[in-house]
Amino acid sequence: MEYESRKCPKRIFMDRSQLAGTFTEENLQFQRKILERSGLGEETYLPEAVLNVPPNPSMTEARKEAEIVMFGAIDELLAKTSVKPKDIGILVVNCSLFNPTPSLSAMVINHYKLRGNIQSYNLGGMGCSAGLLSIDLAKNLLQAHPNSYALVISMENITLNWYFGNDRSKLVSNCLFRMGGAAILLSNKRSDRRRSKYQLVHTVRTHKGADDKCFACVTQEEDSAGKIGVTLSKDLMAVAGDALKTNITTLGPLVLPMSEQLLFFATLVGKKLFKMKIKPYIPDFKLAFEHFCIHAGGRAVLDELEKNLQLSEWHMEPSRMTLFRFGNTSSSSLWYELAYSEAKGRIRKGDRTWQIAFGSGFKCNSAVWKALRTVNPAKEKNPWMDEIQNFPVDVPKVSSI
Protein backbone atom coordinates (compact mmCIF):
# COMPACT_ATOMS: atom_id res chain seq x y z
CA MET A 1 0.00 0.00 0.00
CA GLU A 2 0.92 3.59 -0.51
CA TYR A 3 -0.42 5.80 2.25
CA GLU A 4 -1.77 9.29 1.68
CA SER A 5 -2.10 9.75 5.42
CA ARG A 6 0.21 10.88 8.15
CA LYS A 7 2.75 9.00 10.21
CA CYS A 8 1.88 9.41 13.85
CA PRO A 9 4.78 9.39 16.32
CA LYS A 10 3.61 8.86 19.89
CA ARG A 11 4.49 12.44 20.81
CA ILE A 12 2.20 13.74 18.03
CA PHE A 13 -0.52 11.37 19.24
CA MET A 14 -0.32 12.85 22.73
CA ASP A 15 -0.17 16.44 21.42
CA ARG A 16 -3.29 15.94 19.27
CA SER A 17 -5.12 14.21 22.13
CA GLN A 18 -4.40 17.19 24.36
CA LEU A 19 -5.40 19.73 21.68
CA ALA A 20 -8.71 17.90 21.12
CA GLY A 21 -9.77 19.33 24.47
CA THR A 22 -12.09 16.44 25.33
CA PHE A 23 -9.86 14.29 27.57
CA THR A 24 -9.26 14.84 31.27
CA GLU A 25 -5.66 15.20 32.45
CA GLU A 26 -5.93 11.81 34.19
CA ASN A 27 -7.03 10.13 30.97
CA LEU A 28 -4.31 11.84 28.94
CA GLN A 29 -1.81 10.28 31.34
CA PHE A 30 -3.64 6.95 31.05
CA GLN A 31 -3.25 7.04 27.25
CA ARG A 32 0.41 7.97 27.63
CA LYS A 33 0.96 4.96 29.90
CA ILE A 34 -0.79 2.60 27.46
CA LEU A 35 1.17 3.96 24.49
CA GLU A 36 4.52 3.65 26.26
CA ARG A 37 3.84 -0.06 26.90
CA SER A 38 1.97 -0.82 23.66
CA GLY A 39 4.81 -2.16 21.51
CA LEU A 40 3.95 0.40 18.79
CA GLY A 41 6.73 2.36 17.12
CA GLU A 42 6.96 5.93 15.82
CA GLU A 43 5.84 5.38 12.20
CA THR A 44 2.28 4.03 12.40
CA TYR A 45 -0.41 5.77 10.35
CA LEU A 46 -3.55 7.69 11.21
CA PRO A 47 -5.96 9.46 8.83
CA GLU A 48 -5.85 13.22 8.33
CA ALA A 49 -9.28 13.73 9.90
CA VAL A 50 -8.07 12.42 13.27
CA LEU A 51 -4.79 14.36 13.30
CA ASN A 52 -6.17 17.68 12.08
CA VAL A 53 -6.56 20.48 14.64
CA PRO A 54 -9.41 20.44 15.40
CA PRO A 55 -10.26 16.88 14.27
CA ASN A 56 -12.86 16.78 11.49
CA PRO A 57 -14.34 13.26 11.35
CA SER A 58 -17.15 13.01 8.79
CA MET A 59 -18.64 10.58 6.27
CA THR A 60 -16.70 12.36 3.52
CA GLU A 61 -13.39 11.91 5.35
CA ALA A 62 -14.21 8.30 6.25
CA ARG A 63 -14.94 7.50 2.62
CA LYS A 64 -11.68 9.20 1.65
CA GLU A 65 -9.79 6.97 4.10
CA ALA A 66 -11.55 3.86 2.75
CA GLU A 67 -10.68 4.78 -0.83
CA ILE A 68 -7.02 5.42 0.01
CA VAL A 69 -6.69 2.04 1.73
CA MET A 70 -8.78 -0.13 -0.60
CA PHE A 71 -7.82 1.35 -3.95
CA GLY A 72 -4.14 1.58 -3.02
CA ALA A 73 -4.02 -2.12 -2.14
CA ILE A 74 -6.11 -3.24 -5.14
CA ASP A 75 -4.08 -1.18 -7.65
CA GLU A 76 -0.89 -2.82 -6.49
CA LEU A 77 -2.45 -6.30 -6.49
CA LEU A 78 -3.78 -5.96 -10.05
CA ALA A 79 -0.41 -4.65 -11.23
CA LYS A 80 1.38 -7.63 -9.62
CA THR A 81 -0.95 -10.29 -11.00
CA SER A 82 -1.87 -8.73 -14.38
CA VAL A 83 -5.48 -9.74 -13.70
CA LYS A 84 -8.09 -7.52 -15.37
CA PRO A 85 -10.89 -6.16 -13.13
CA LYS A 86 -13.54 -7.67 -15.44
CA ASP A 87 -12.07 -11.14 -14.78
CA ILE A 88 -12.95 -10.97 -11.06
CA GLY A 89 -16.10 -13.00 -10.35
CA ILE A 90 -16.24 -12.84 -6.53
CA LEU A 91 -15.68 -9.85 -4.24
CA VAL A 92 -15.58 -9.94 -0.42
CA VAL A 93 -14.88 -6.77 1.58
CA ASN A 94 -14.63 -6.76 5.37
CA CYS A 95 -14.57 -3.67 7.57
CA SER A 96 -15.98 -3.93 11.06
CA LEU A 97 -16.89 -0.38 12.07
CA PHE A 98 -17.54 1.60 8.87
CA ASN A 99 -20.50 0.43 6.82
CA PRO A 100 -21.71 3.26 4.56
CA THR A 101 -24.44 3.23 1.92
CA PRO A 102 -23.60 2.43 -0.86
CA SER A 103 -21.39 -0.25 0.68
CA LEU A 104 -17.61 -0.52 0.52
CA SER A 105 -17.94 -3.43 -1.92
CA ALA A 106 -20.14 -1.23 -4.13
CA MET A 107 -17.44 1.48 -4.01
CA VAL A 108 -14.94 -1.07 -5.34
CA ILE A 109 -17.32 -2.25 -8.07
CA ASN A 110 -17.96 1.35 -9.16
CA HIS A 111 -14.31 2.40 -9.13
CA TYR A 112 -12.99 -0.61 -11.07
CA LYS A 113 -16.13 -1.11 -13.22
CA LEU A 114 -16.41 -4.76 -12.20
CA ARG A 115 -18.85 -6.95 -14.09
CA GLY A 116 -22.58 -6.88 -13.43
CA ASN A 117 -22.96 -10.53 -12.35
CA ILE A 118 -20.20 -10.39 -9.71
CA GLN A 119 -20.84 -12.26 -6.45
CA SER A 120 -20.37 -9.36 -4.03
CA TYR A 121 -20.35 -9.46 -0.21
CA ASN A 122 -19.74 -6.78 2.42
CA LEU A 123 -18.97 -8.05 5.95
CA GLY A 124 -19.40 -5.63 8.87
CA GLY A 125 -19.23 -5.78 12.65
CA MET A 126 -17.13 -8.96 12.72
CA GLY A 127 -13.98 -7.55 14.30
CA CYS A 128 -10.31 -8.32 13.77
CA SER A 129 -10.88 -11.94 12.75
CA ALA A 130 -13.07 -10.98 9.76
CA GLY A 131 -10.15 -11.25 7.32
CA LEU A 132 -10.05 -15.02 7.75
CA LEU A 133 -13.85 -15.17 7.66
CA SER A 134 -13.61 -13.45 4.27
CA ILE A 135 -11.05 -15.99 3.09
CA ASP A 136 -13.30 -18.85 4.24
CA LEU A 137 -16.32 -17.30 2.47
CA ALA A 138 -14.29 -16.80 -0.72
CA LYS A 139 -13.10 -20.43 -0.52
CA ASN A 140 -16.69 -21.69 -0.28
CA LEU A 141 -17.83 -19.46 -3.14
CA LEU A 142 -14.96 -20.65 -5.34
CA GLN A 143 -16.08 -24.23 -4.76
CA ALA A 144 -19.45 -23.28 -6.25
CA HIS A 145 -18.04 -21.14 -9.09
CA PRO A 146 -15.36 -22.97 -11.11
CA ASN A 147 -12.71 -21.15 -13.14
CA SER A 148 -13.06 -17.92 -11.11
CA TYR A 149 -11.09 -15.23 -9.33
CA ALA A 150 -12.06 -14.03 -5.85
CA LEU A 151 -10.86 -10.66 -4.55
CA VAL A 152 -10.77 -10.26 -0.75
CA ILE A 153 -10.20 -6.84 0.85
CA SER A 154 -9.55 -6.60 4.60
CA MET A 155 -9.40 -3.25 6.36
CA GLU A 156 -10.61 -1.10 9.24
CA ASN A 157 -11.66 2.53 9.19
CA ILE A 158 -10.43 4.91 11.90
CA THR A 159 -11.98 8.26 10.93
CA LEU A 160 -15.48 7.87 12.40
CA ASN A 161 -14.40 5.49 15.14
CA TRP A 162 -11.97 7.63 17.12
CA TYR A 163 -13.18 7.88 20.72
CA PHE A 164 -13.31 11.39 22.21
CA GLY A 165 -14.69 10.44 25.64
CA ASN A 166 -13.21 9.52 29.01
CA ASP A 167 -14.19 5.89 29.55
CA ARG A 168 -10.85 4.12 29.96
CA SER A 169 -12.11 0.80 28.62
CA LYS A 170 -12.77 2.60 25.31
CA LEU A 171 -9.56 4.66 25.25
CA VAL A 172 -7.34 1.59 24.79
CA SER A 173 -8.56 1.25 21.18
CA ASN A 174 -7.31 4.77 20.36
CA CYS A 175 -3.85 3.78 21.54
CA LEU A 176 -3.59 0.54 19.55
CA PHE A 177 -5.60 0.76 16.31
CA ARG A 178 -4.02 2.27 13.23
CA MET A 179 -4.69 2.67 9.51
CA GLY A 180 -4.02 -0.20 7.10
CA GLY A 181 -5.48 -2.72 4.70
CA ALA A 182 -4.75 -5.65 2.40
CA ALA A 183 -6.05 -7.09 -0.87
CA ILE A 184 -5.79 -10.83 -1.60
CA LEU A 185 -6.55 -12.63 -4.86
CA LEU A 186 -7.67 -16.28 -4.81
CA SER A 187 -8.10 -18.48 -7.85
CA ASN A 188 -9.42 -21.97 -8.58
CA LYS A 189 -8.03 -22.00 -12.13
CA ARG A 190 -5.62 -24.87 -12.79
CA SER A 191 -3.52 -22.61 -15.00
CA ASP A 192 -2.82 -20.27 -12.07
CA ARG A 193 -1.16 -22.90 -9.88
CA ARG A 194 2.23 -22.32 -11.52
CA ARG A 195 2.31 -18.64 -10.57
CA SER A 196 0.47 -18.78 -7.24
CA LYS A 197 2.43 -18.25 -4.05
CA TYR A 198 0.25 -20.28 -1.70
CA GLN A 199 -2.39 -22.97 -1.54
CA LEU A 200 -5.15 -22.61 1.05
CA VAL A 201 -5.13 -25.93 2.90
CA HIS A 202 -7.49 -25.45 5.87
CA THR A 203 -9.77 -22.87 7.47
CA VAL A 204 -11.15 -23.42 10.98
CA ARG A 205 -13.74 -21.10 12.50
CA THR A 206 -14.66 -20.93 16.20
CA HIS A 207 -17.55 -18.80 17.50
CA LYS A 208 -18.15 -18.42 21.26
CA GLY A 209 -21.05 -15.98 20.90
CA ALA A 210 -23.50 -18.28 22.71
CA ASP A 211 -21.66 -17.44 25.94
CA ASP A 212 -22.71 -14.03 27.35
CA LYS A 213 -19.24 -13.19 28.69
CA CYS A 214 -17.63 -13.97 25.33
CA PHE A 215 -20.30 -12.09 23.43
CA ALA A 216 -19.86 -8.90 25.51
CA CYS A 217 -16.06 -8.70 25.80
CA VAL A 218 -15.64 -6.38 22.75
CA THR A 219 -18.62 -4.05 22.32
CA GLN A 220 -19.27 -0.81 20.45
CA GLU A 221 -21.45 1.35 22.68
CA GLU A 222 -22.08 4.82 24.06
CA ASP A 223 -20.47 6.02 27.27
CA SER A 224 -22.33 7.92 30.00
CA ALA A 225 -21.90 11.15 27.99
CA GLY A 226 -23.31 9.63 24.79
CA LYS A 227 -19.96 9.31 22.99
CA ILE A 228 -19.52 6.11 20.99
CA GLY A 229 -16.47 3.89 21.40
CA VAL A 230 -15.40 0.24 21.52
CA THR A 231 -15.25 -1.22 25.03
CA LEU A 232 -12.58 -3.85 25.68
CA SER A 233 -13.56 -6.00 28.66
CA LYS A 234 -11.14 -7.16 31.35
CA ASP A 235 -12.22 -10.71 30.42
CA LEU A 236 -10.76 -10.34 26.92
CA MET A 237 -7.54 -12.32 27.47
CA ALA A 238 -9.32 -15.20 29.23
CA VAL A 239 -12.00 -15.32 26.53
CA ALA A 240 -9.37 -15.29 23.76
CA GLY A 241 -7.49 -18.14 25.47
CA ASP A 242 -10.65 -20.23 25.71
CA ALA A 243 -11.54 -19.58 22.05
CA LEU A 244 -8.01 -20.55 20.98
CA LYS A 245 -8.24 -23.86 22.89
CA THR A 246 -11.48 -24.71 21.09
CA ASN A 247 -10.01 -23.75 17.74
CA ILE A 248 -6.83 -25.80 18.09
CA THR A 249 -8.85 -28.80 19.26
CA THR A 250 -10.39 -28.81 15.77
CA LEU A 251 -7.26 -27.74 13.91
CA GLY A 252 -4.85 -30.12 15.67
CA PRO A 253 -6.04 -33.40 14.09
CA LEU A 254 -5.83 -31.79 10.64
CA VAL A 255 -2.20 -30.66 10.87
CA LEU A 256 -0.31 -32.33 13.75
CA PRO A 257 1.81 -35.50 13.49
CA MET A 258 0.19 -38.58 15.08
CA SER A 259 2.54 -38.54 18.10
CA GLU A 260 1.32 -35.07 19.11
CA GLN A 261 -2.31 -36.01 18.49
CA LEU A 262 -2.02 -39.04 20.79
CA LEU A 263 -0.50 -37.00 23.63
CA PHE A 264 -3.18 -34.33 23.25
CA PHE A 265 -5.99 -36.92 23.17
CA ALA A 266 -4.61 -38.85 26.15
CA THR A 267 -4.52 -35.80 28.42
CA LEU A 268 -7.99 -34.76 27.21
CA VAL A 269 -9.41 -38.19 28.09
CA GLY A 270 -7.62 -38.13 31.45
CA LYS A 271 -9.13 -34.77 32.37
CA LYS A 272 -12.65 -35.30 31.03
CA LEU A 273 -13.26 -39.00 31.61
CA PHE A 274 -11.14 -39.85 34.63
CA LYS A 275 -11.21 -36.38 36.25
CA MET A 276 -7.43 -36.42 36.58
CA LYS A 277 -5.86 -33.20 37.84
CA ILE A 278 -3.33 -32.71 35.08
CA LYS A 279 -2.47 -29.70 32.98
CA PRO A 280 -3.94 -29.78 29.47
CA TYR A 281 -1.30 -30.80 26.94
CA ILE A 282 -0.44 -28.03 24.51
CA PRO A 283 0.68 -29.67 21.25
CA ASP A 284 3.92 -28.56 19.66
CA PHE A 285 2.59 -26.71 16.63
CA LYS A 286 6.16 -26.01 15.52
CA LEU A 287 6.08 -29.59 14.20
CA ALA A 288 3.16 -28.64 11.93
CA PHE A 289 4.14 -25.12 10.80
CA GLU A 290 7.27 -23.25 9.80
CA HIS A 291 5.68 -19.79 10.12
CA PHE A 292 3.15 -18.18 12.45
CA CYS A 293 1.08 -15.06 11.71
CA ILE A 294 -0.68 -14.14 14.95
CA HIS A 295 -3.01 -11.15 14.83
CA ALA A 296 -1.07 -8.15 16.14
CA GLY A 297 -3.84 -7.08 18.50
CA GLY A 298 -1.48 -5.83 21.18
CA ARG A 299 1.62 -6.75 23.13
CA ALA A 300 -0.32 -8.65 25.83
CA VAL A 301 -2.01 -10.90 23.24
CA LEU A 302 1.31 -11.73 21.58
CA ASP A 303 3.03 -12.39 24.91
CA GLU A 304 0.26 -14.78 25.94
CA LEU A 305 0.30 -16.75 22.70
CA GLU A 306 4.10 -16.93 22.64
CA LYS A 307 3.98 -18.51 26.10
CA ASN A 308 0.99 -20.82 25.52
CA LEU A 309 2.14 -22.11 22.12
CA GLN A 310 5.78 -22.24 23.26
CA LEU A 311 7.00 -20.23 20.29
CA SER A 312 10.45 -18.70 19.83
CA GLU A 313 11.32 -15.04 19.29
CA TRP A 314 11.95 -15.91 15.63
CA HIS A 315 8.42 -17.29 15.23
CA MET A 316 6.93 -14.20 16.90
CA GLU A 317 9.06 -11.70 14.99
CA PRO A 318 6.63 -11.04 12.09
CA SER A 319 3.77 -10.27 14.52
CA ARG A 320 5.85 -8.12 16.87
CA MET A 321 7.46 -6.14 14.05
CA THR A 322 4.05 -5.60 12.41
CA LEU A 323 2.67 -4.24 15.69
CA PHE A 324 5.73 -2.00 16.03
CA ARG A 325 5.77 -0.66 12.46
CA PHE A 326 2.06 -0.50 11.59
CA GLY A 327 0.16 -0.90 14.87
CA ASN A 328 -3.01 -2.95 15.15
CA THR A 329 -4.45 -2.73 11.62
CA SER A 330 -7.28 -5.09 12.60
CA SER A 331 -8.12 -7.86 10.11
CA SER A 332 -5.31 -6.91 7.71
CA SER A 333 -2.47 -7.39 10.22
CA LEU A 334 -2.03 -11.08 9.26
CA TRP A 335 -1.07 -10.05 5.73
CA TYR A 336 1.53 -7.52 6.91
CA GLU A 337 3.02 -10.38 8.94
CA LEU A 338 3.14 -12.76 5.98
CA ALA A 339 4.64 -9.96 3.87
CA TYR A 340 7.34 -9.52 6.55
CA SER A 341 8.34 -13.19 6.25
CA GLU A 342 8.44 -12.84 2.47
CA ALA A 343 10.56 -9.68 2.65
CA LYS A 344 12.99 -11.50 4.96
CA GLY A 345 13.36 -14.32 2.42
CA ARG A 346 12.00 -16.91 4.86
CA ILE A 347 9.28 -18.50 2.69
CA ARG A 348 10.49 -21.71 1.03
CA LYS A 349 8.57 -24.07 -1.21
CA GLY A 350 6.53 -26.47 0.92
CA ASP A 351 6.57 -24.25 4.04
CA ARG A 352 3.34 -24.16 6.02
CA THR A 353 2.01 -20.96 7.60
CA TRP A 354 -0.61 -20.71 10.35
CA GLN A 355 -2.64 -17.50 10.51
CA ILE A 356 -4.55 -16.97 13.78
CA ALA A 357 -7.00 -14.12 14.37
CA PHE A 358 -9.30 -13.09 17.21
CA GLY A 359 -12.35 -10.86 16.93
CA SER A 360 -15.50 -9.57 18.57
CA GLY A 361 -18.41 -11.93 18.97
CA PHE A 362 -16.18 -13.69 20.22
CA LYS A 363 -14.35 -15.50 17.44
CA CYS A 364 -11.04 -17.29 16.87
CA ASN A 365 -10.28 -18.23 13.28
CA SER A 366 -7.39 -20.07 11.65
CA ALA A 367 -6.11 -20.45 8.12
CA VAL A 368 -3.34 -22.78 6.98
CA TRP A 369 -1.37 -22.01 3.80
CA LYS A 370 1.25 -24.07 1.98
CA ALA A 371 3.90 -22.26 -0.07
CA LEU A 372 3.84 -23.49 -3.68
CA ARG A 373 7.18 -21.88 -4.46
CA THR A 374 10.09 -20.16 -2.78
CA VAL A 375 9.38 -16.44 -2.54
CA ASN A 376 12.30 -14.37 -3.79
CA PRO A 377 12.29 -11.06 -1.84
CA ALA A 378 14.26 -9.34 -4.63
CA LYS A 379 11.19 -9.71 -6.85
CA GLU A 380 8.67 -8.66 -4.21
CA LYS A 381 6.91 -5.35 -3.76
CA ASN A 382 5.25 -5.00 -0.36
CA PRO A 383 5.11 -2.44 2.48
CA TRP A 384 8.32 -3.76 4.06
CA MET A 385 10.68 -3.84 1.10
CA ASP A 386 12.16 -0.34 1.39
CA GLU A 387 13.07 -0.78 5.05
CA ILE A 388 13.27 -4.52 5.78
CA GLN A 389 17.02 -4.20 6.34
CA ASN A 390 16.20 -2.20 9.50
CA PHE A 391 14.29 -5.08 11.10
CA PRO A 392 14.00 -6.72 13.53
CA VAL A 393 14.36 -3.97 16.11
CA ASP A 394 14.48 -4.24 19.87
CA VAL A 395 11.11 -3.19 21.32
CA PRO A 396 11.54 -2.08 24.95
CA LYS A 397 8.93 -2.98 27.57
CA VAL A 398 8.46 0.74 28.20
CA SER A 399 9.22 3.40 25.59
CA SER A 400 9.05 6.83 27.22
CA ILE A 401 7.34 9.63 25.32
Side-chain angles (χ1 to χ4, degrees):
M1 281 191 56
E2 296 295 331
Y3 292 92
E4 295 173 25
S5 54
R6 283 197 243 167
K7 287 185 179 178
C8 184
K10 286 177 272 194
R11 179 183 55 78
I12 295 294
F13 178 98
M14 290 307 305
D15 287 347
R16 295 299 188 270
S17 294
Q18 191 164 21
L19 289 169
T22 62
F23 304 112
T24 64
E25 183 58 36
E26 291 81 3
N27 279 329
L28 285 170
Q29 293 310 313
F30 173 75
Q31 290 180 80
R32 178 188 295 273
K33 185 177 178 181
I34 294 291
L35 266 182
E36 289 178 338
R37 292 159 176 77
S38 65
L40 272 67
E42 301 293 336
E43 296 191 302
T44 61
Y45 299 94
L46 283 173
E48 293 277 353
V50 169
L51 293 176
N52 286 339
V53 182
N56 61 321
S58 65
M59 283 295 291
T60 299
E61 289 296 321
R63 282 181 181 277
K64 189 187 298 182
E65 179 190 346
E67 290 172 355
I68 289 168
V69 172
M70 292 193 302
F71 300 164
I74 296 169
D75 286 349
E76 192 166 302
L77 180 70
L78 295 178
K80 278 182 182 179
T81 59
S82 301
V83 169
K84 296 180 177 65
K86 291 285 187 186
D87 292 336
I88 296 167
I90 297 164
L91 172 66
V92 184
V93 180
N94 70 266
C95 181
S96 193
L97 294 174
F98 181 54
N99 294 286
T101 301
S103 67
L104 296 172
S105 57
M107 288 167 62
V108 173
I109 291 168
N110 176 259
H111 184 79
Y112 291 96
K113 309 305 176 191
L114 303 185
R115 64 201 207 197
N117 64 344
I118 191 165
Q119 300 288 309
S120 170
Y121 296 84
N122 200 99
L123 306 184
M126 304 194 80
C128 299
S129 67
L132 295 186
L133 289 176
S134 297
I135 293 294
D136 184 62
L137 175 58
K139 178 189 79 171
N140 292 334
L141 288 166
L142 284 168
Q143 289 172 348
H145 298 275
N147 208 36
S148 297
Y149 285 117
L151 173 61
V152 173
I153 303 156
S154 292
M155 59 169 289
E156 195 49 83
N157 193 284
I158 304 291
T159 297
L160 285 178
N161 295 291
W162 201 252
Y163 177 62
F164 290 100
N166 284 286
D167 181 338
R168 291 191 175 185
S169 65
K170 296 175 178 62
L171 281 171
V172 175
S173 295
N174 283 13
C175 299
L176 297 179
F177 282 90
R178 295 294 183 266
M179 203 176 162
I184 305 97
L185 188 70
L186 294 95
S187 171
N188 58 8
K189 300 182 180 187
R190 284 185 184 276
S191 58
D192 283 328
R193 186 177 178 88
R194 287 179 295 105
R195 66 187 189 122
S196 294
K197 284 183 183 178
Y198 303 97
Q199 177 183 1
L200 179 59
V201 183
H202 301 292
T203 53
V204 175
R205 294 168 56 170
T206 300
H207 206 308
K208 308 292 282 188
D211 181 282
D212 289 345
K213 186 171 74 171
C214 297
F215 176 75
C217 73
V218 181
T219 308
Q220 186 182 29
E221 59 187 2
E222 294 161 324
D223 64 14
S224 57
K227 294 178 179 177
I228 296 174
V230 176
T231 301
L232 302 181
S233 158
K234 291 179 180 177
D235 297 322
L236 181 58
M237 293 303 298
V239 166
D242 182 51
L244 177 65
K245 285 176 190 172
T246 305
N247 191 270
I248 64 176
T249 300
T250 305
L251 180 68
L254 299 174
V255 298
L256 288 166
M258 189 55 68
S259 58
E260 288 296 298
Q261 290 189 49
L262 290 172
L263 282 168
F264 180 69
F265 183 69
T267 53
L268 193 65
V269 168
K271 279 178 69 69
K272 298 289 185 184
L273 203 60
F274 299 107
K275 310 298 181 187
M276 295 169 65
K277 293 183 178 179
I278 53 175
K279 284 186 176 180
Y281 179 71
I282 303 296
D284 186 359
F285 280 96
K286 297 189 294 295
L287 298 174
F289 305 109
E290 284 74 37
H291 310 284
F292 296 79
C293 297
I294 300 166
H295 167 53
R299 173 177 253 157
V301 173
L302 297 181
D303 288 347
E304 194 68 17
L305 264 74
E306 179 178 1
K307 182 177 73 175
N308 288 343
L309 295 176
Q310 299 166 5
L311 301 178
S312 68
E313 287 185 13
W314 187 88
H315 290 115
M316 295 300 298
E317 188 181 306
S319 298
R320 292 197 186 280
M321 293 305 102
T322 294
L323 181 65
F324 177 83
R325 176 62 183 82
F326 295 100
N328 179 349
T329 62
S330 190
S331 58
S332 66
S333 70
L334 299 173
W335 304 104
Y336 287 86
E337 293 161 11
L338 186 58
Y340 180 91
S341 294
E342 291 181 353
K344 279 290 183 184
R346 295 180 178 181
I347 304 294
R348 303 285 183 224
K349 184 178 180 179
D351 281 2
R352 298 152 298 175
T353 299
W354 181 17
Q355 292 181 316
I356 319 168
F358 302 91
S360 57
F362 189 87
K363 299 178 284 295
C364 175
N365 299 317
S366 290
V368 177
W369 302 85
K370 181 180 178 181
L372 296 177
R373 57 182 170 87
T374 297
V375 178
N376 181 358
K379 296 181 179 179
E380 282 302 299
K381 184 182 179 187
N382 74 41
W384 295 98
M385 293 313 302
D386 291 339
E387 51 191 290
I388 192 63
Q389 68 279 0
N390 301 327
F391 291 92
V393 298
D394 179 57
V395 183
K397 293 292 183 187
V398 180
S399 178
S400 297
I401 302 172

